[in-house]
Amino acid sequence: MSVSTAPKAAKIARPKVRQTKMLIGGEWVDALNGETFTTYHPATEEKIADVPRATAQDVDRAVKAARKAFEEGPWPKMDARDRGRLLTKLADLVEAHLPELAALESLDNGKPITDATNADLPLVVDCLRYYGGWADKVHGQTIPIRGEYFCYTSREPVGVCGQIIPWNFPLLMVAWKWGPALATGNTIVMKPAEQTPLSCLRMAELALEAGFPPGVINVITGFGEAGAALVKHPDVDKIAFTGSTETAQHIMRDASQTLKRLTFELGGKSPNIVFADADLDAAIAGAEFGLFFNQGQCCCAGSRLFVEEKIHEKFVGRLVERAKQRRLGDPFDPATTQGPQVDKDQFDKIMDYIGRGKKAGAQCVTGGDREGTTGFFIQPTVFDNVTDDMDIATDEIFGPVLSVLPFKDIDEVVERANKTLYGLAAAVWTRDVAKAHRVAKSVRAGTVWINCYDVFDAAAPFGGFKMSGIGRELGEYALANYTEVKTVTMSLK
Ligand code: NAP
Ligand code: MG
């Protein structure tokens, strides 16, 4: 791989960090006990800022503000068109501040500025606009029941929603959570990941500027302890969580006390299946992008690359060439295509998996080491001839580590693709239309891409089968996560 040294385009300036306090009831506040924690730039390991470390008492304050806004504020009673207009206005403000927000993402998360600018942020703007459009289109049905009755349903907001998000797409996760919740009249207490709180705080500032009433959106910063306090709080009606399957299991146990509504978007070990009759240029590009995009920190990463035996050798050779061309370096250099991993914990976890892959006898055909000595950079790594039972074939690594598994025929590959606890995404590359749809039908996954990878759109639902999640985000489906159905029956006698 090449380390970017002499970029053609000028480096992007680091952004000014404007907001480091929490938002509760329309006020910017510190933690009640005054404690803070530090967020770092993962490319240099330098300190960026201190932000409040919320405890259960801060969570309680935020929940009270959200409850007040829900019960007394104008929010749920507001004309749905006006709620939609506020979301659209927020989308406009995000668009107007796109360079600043993209740079904040690169600073806090370490992702290349080119990705933040061209991938994350445009999807954020789209998502907010999309749900702005839904606000006045959520309605019930009239139902012809037996007897002389008039029966109809209406859809009402769930109430106070706790939203807990990870660090891999910090602002995009904010948009996926806020869009459907706000369009349907809920109020929110959000906890961004401890590694990446800054863009969420700035977006909350823009939400106030757009005119969202106080208490509708609250943001608390902190660690898992704050997330757990939110999950246990008796006055929170619902938890929407994106992150690891393990944390989701904790949340499910904690939420059982109060029977909260739960939606989960969790991990994966997604199969990316390449048949010999595929457009190989496209498939190679898709295999690279499907795994290495965002430093491999994608829940839907195509981390099990199944390649048909007939083309296996040639395919891996060309893929390795591509992997070597990735440019690791300063996230603020527009030529950089791969940044650092988000933090030391993730870096150590990934390096441990690389060690385990080597020990298990998989063939490391490129990468396999740390890059440089500062920052959490890991070389794009490809393991060939991986077998189904190796840890690197079964576990979510969440880093730039690709496992290649050769296969003989369609029935075999479908069976092996499904031999996982996960079911988030899958992809298939072939010119045979029937084969493509046979795989799409047989794979137990919430999303299947045919001859493409990582195509996201605010209108297309996304979520997992099996241990990859519960419920669907995006599209019309996400509105169901944030509404209760009420059935009203009236006698006509
Ligand atoms: P994580 O523990 O699942 O964290 C996600 C969010 O949950 C963070 O905001 C976290 O807060 C919070 N949290 C942690 N413990 C909690 C608890 N007991 N109750 C409520 N909330 C809690 O993920 P991670 O530790 O950052 O990453 C670990 C692994 O998760 C990764 O290696 C990857 O495999 C997977 N992951 C998946 C996704 C995805 O998109 N599906 C995203 C990120 C990570 P803190 O930030 O304070 O921990
Ligand atoms: Mg950080």
Side-chain angles (χ1 to χ4, degrees):
M1 67 284 339
S2 49
V3 174
S4 49
T5 42
K8 286 195 192 78
K11 285 193 182 182
I12 304 297
R14 293 201 189 178
K16 188 167 171 264
V17 177
R18 291 164 185 273
Q19 189 52 257
T20 57
K21 297 203 184 223
M22 307 192 283
L23 179 63
I24 297 181
E27 308 282 328
W28 295 100
V29 299
D30 291 313
L32 284 169
N33 67 8
E35 279 196 34
T36 59
F37 66 97
T38 302
T39 181
Y40 298 92
H41 179 42
T44 59
E45 303 174 48
E46 286 165 313
K47 170 178 170 167
I48 308 170
D50 289 323
V51 294
R53 178 174 180 160
T55 64
Q57 34 171 356
D58 302 296
V59 170
D60 184 54
R61 225 169 22 140
V63 172
K64 286 199 169 93
R67 175 57 62 190
K68 185 158 182 256
F70 187 76
E71 302 294 345
E72 298 166 27
W75 191 242
K77 297 176 206 87
M78 189 185 274
D79 190 299
R81 283 156 201 80
D82 293 335
R83 280 204 309 265
R85 217 168 286 140
L86 282 174
L87 272 167
T88 311
K89 191 151 178 220
L90 179 57
D92 293 344
L93 283 170
V94 170
E95 198 166 45
H97 293 82
L98 195 147
E100 180 203 343
L101 290 164
L104 263 186
E105 293 292 66
S106 292
L107 185 67
D108 219 6
N109 166 285
K111 63 177 67 205
I113 188 71
T114 307
D115 288 351
T117 305
N118 300 330
D120 297 53
L121 264 296
L123 287 170
V124 171
V125 174
D126 260 10
C127 181
L128 296 171
R129 276 202 187 119
Y130 175 81
Y131 284 108
W134 264 115
D136 60 357
K137 297 168 191 71
V138 179
H139 50 68
Q141 299 172 320
T142 57
I143 302 178
I145 65 171
R146 190 186 298 280
E148 300 222 0
Y149 300 99
F150 171 50
C151 177
Y152 66 91
T153 59
S154 63
R155 303 209 10 220
E156 299 184 3
V158 172
V160 174
C161 297
Q163 303 184 320
I164 303 172
I165 54 169
W167 40 262
N168 50 344
F169 295 93
L171 259 191
L172 188 57
M173 294 299 101
V174 173
W176 285 22
K177 297 280 185 284
W178 286 8
L182 295 172
T184 46
N186 297 274
T187 60
I188 290 170
V189 178
M190 167 164 276
K191 193 198 88 66
E194 143 236 328
Q195 295 90 337
T196 55
L198 298 177
S199 57
C200 178
L201 294 175
R202 182 69 182 115
M203 189 147 128
E205 218 171 28
L206 295 178
L208 288 189
E209 194 181 323
F212 281 90
V216 169
I217 297 169
N218 305 275
V219 180
I220 50 161
T221 50
F223 292 83
E225 63 197 341
L230 192 56
V231 174
K232 288 180 189 153
H233 200 293
D235 212 21
V236 172
D237 298 292
K238 174 197 160 63
I239 294 287
F241 170 77
T242 298
S244 65
T245 298
E246 198 187 343
T247 299
Q249 290 171 320
H250 278 290
I251 291 177
M252 203 173 220
R253 278 192 291 270
D254 284 349
S256 70
Q257 296 303 314
T258 45
L259 279 182
K260 288 186 174 53
R261 281 89 189 99
L262 294 175
T263 42
F264 289 149
E265 203 269 276
L266 310 175
K269 193 73 190 176
S270 298
N272 190 5
I273 303 170
V274 183
F275 287 98
D277 64 358
D279 171 343
L280 291 191
D281 289 340
I284 288 163
E288 183 208 341
F289 179 65
L291 186 281
F292 293 112
F293 174 60
N294 209 38
Q295 296 66 248
Q297 303 167 142
C298 298
C299 48
C300 53
S303 50
R304 286 185 297 152
L305 180 66
F306 288 98
V307 182
E308 192 169 344
E309 259 178 20
K310 277 185 260 181
I311 54 160
H312 168 231
E313 211 166 304
K314 180 166 107 192
F315 193 90
V316 172
R318 289 184 57 194
L319 180 65
V320 164
E321 286 317 306
R322 273 192 80 103
K324 284 182 175 159
Q325 280 159 23
R326 294 185 65 75
R327 291 176 70 107
L328 273 70
D330 182 356
F332 289 98
D333 181 343
T336 294
T337 58
Q338 187 169 317
Q341 308 310 127
V342 77
D343 67 8
K344 175 102 175 31
D345 284 352
Q346 288 297 311
F347 174 88
D348 288 343
K349 175 186 160 187
I350 297 160
M351 290 308 295
D352 180 57
Y353 272 110
I354 291 176
R356 284 200 248 171
K358 289 175 178 169
K359 216 170 145 197
Q363 216 179 321
C364 184
V365 286
T366 188
D369 255 312
R370 160 172 215 173
E371 178 76 21
T373 49
T374 310
F376 308 117
F377 292 91
I378 296 180
Q379 297 172 346
T381 299
V382 178
F383 278 105
D384 196 11
N385 293 314
V386 175
T387 56
D388 293 353
D389 57 336
M390 291 179 186
D391 293 349
I392 57 169
T394 57
D395 299 5
E396 179 172 57
I397 300 175
F398 230 61
V401 182
L402 178 59
S403 295
V404 182
L405 306 98
F407 74 90
K408 279 201 179 68
D409 64 51
I410 181 169
D411 294 331
E412 173 209 328
V413 78
V414 164
E415 195 202 324
R416 289 170 65 196
N418 283 332
K419 229 191 266 164
T420 168
L421 296 172
Y422 295 115
L424 191 57
V428 52
W429 302 81
T430 175
R431 286 191 170 99
D432 180 336
V433 177
K435 206 196 280 179
H437 285 290
R438 253 180 81 193
V439 173
K441 196 176 170 194
S442 325
V443 162
R444 304 271 301 156
T447 289
V448 181
W449 287 296
I450 299 175
N451 296 334
C452 57
Y453 210 98
D454 273 349
V455 177
F456 280 91
D457 191 287
F462 181 75
F465 283 32
K466 302 197 272 183
M467 286 181 84
S468 286
I470 297 177
R472 292 292 176 272
E473 300 208 271
L474 301 180
E476 184 178 355
Y477 288 85
L479 300 167
N481 301 343
Y482 290 98
T483 48
E484 295 276 14
V485 175
K486 181 175 280 177
T487 306
V488 180
T489 305
M490 180 183 163
S491 168
L492 293 178
K493 283 185 197 135

